[in-house]
Amino acid sequence: MAVRASIIIVTWNAAPLIADVLAALAAQTVRPDRILVVDNGSDDLAQLTETVARFPACELLALGSNTGFAAANNAGIARCGDSEHIVLLNPDAFPEPRWLEALLAAADAHPQYGSFASRMLDHANDTLLDGAGDTLSLAGKPRRRGYGEPASGRYQSPEPVFAACAAAALYRRADLERTGGFDERFFCYVEDVDLGFRLLLQNRPCRYVPDAVVRHMGSALTGRRSDFSIYHGQRNLVGNYVKNMPPLLFWLCLPLHLALNAGYLVAAALTGRGAVMWRAKRDAVRMLPEMWRSRREIQAARQASTWTVLRYLGGRVRS
């Protein structure tokens, strides 16, 4: 029998947070059919196992090592092959009771969309937004829409957005299978923007659902401005641009992309983060041949017009 919605929570050394997340899921007005916690080789696996056992609707998939956010989600998606919808939730994202109901209602009402983004509030100060979907500039800079802005009166209407932040998002499983899921070479950071871009290229865009509310700590496990997050984010933004930008936009915007990366290098050098930034950009260059091979496949299968992509990049798409 088909499962309507499976929730996947990828965790790494986050056992102290999981109980509150699972309690929030137990209080949903629409209960998920399955909750799968995917552990990425945590040191606190024993505590996590004990916590998961207290929630009958929840199961644990222990991977044994840290495979990265992208690969762990793919492993969870493969385990949920009978699900119509895959719903991703971070272990530091705490959903309000109507969160899943709102996402599923939006998915039912808008079959032309492949993914759905949540309204994320700052866990420490819910008068501020943590994000309202993800955007991407013409230069290839990813950004969480509305991050740090006042929550009151902002981003209250459902509308198309470039991509969903995978900290709290719904995807149609059929669309994930069609696009190959997350790119495991990214490990973590920008992998959700990359997936959203590939979905858009298949004419399966993202829709923002303001009634689907979560309170998100953000980088609770990796550190918001740690060397780890800087390295992966800065390396992967190059791969995302190279793989996915349609040919006309790729060449027209390439000077902007190069200037963006040069600006990051200069700014990092001035703030004492030059070493990690240089390593990220060096490794991005080393990955270019395989990113270019992926580009050929992605662009050959592209369904969306250049104009459609340009409208999403510019935030000029309306419901």
Side-chain angles (χ1 to χ4, degrees), residues 216-235:
H216 185 221
M217 288 182 176
S219 300
L221 307 180
T222 60
R224 193 177 296 276
R225 294 296 297 169
S226 65
D227 283 358
F228 180 90
S229 63
I230 290 172
Y231 171 79
H232 287 92
Q234 289 292 325
R235 184 195 65 175

Side-chain angles (χ1 to χ4, degrees), residues 49-92:
T49 302
E50 180 182 335
T51 301
V52 168
R54 300 205 306 266
F55 294 85
C58 187
E59 62 178 292
L60 176 64
L61 172 61
L63 298 180
S65 63
N66 190 355
T67 63
F69 182 81
N73 270 305
N74 284 346
I77 293 164
R79 178 70 73 92
C80 300
D82 56 350
S83 297
E84 180 182 2
H85 302 299
I86 300 294
V87 187
L88 304 186
L89 187 66
N90 274 13
D92 62 349

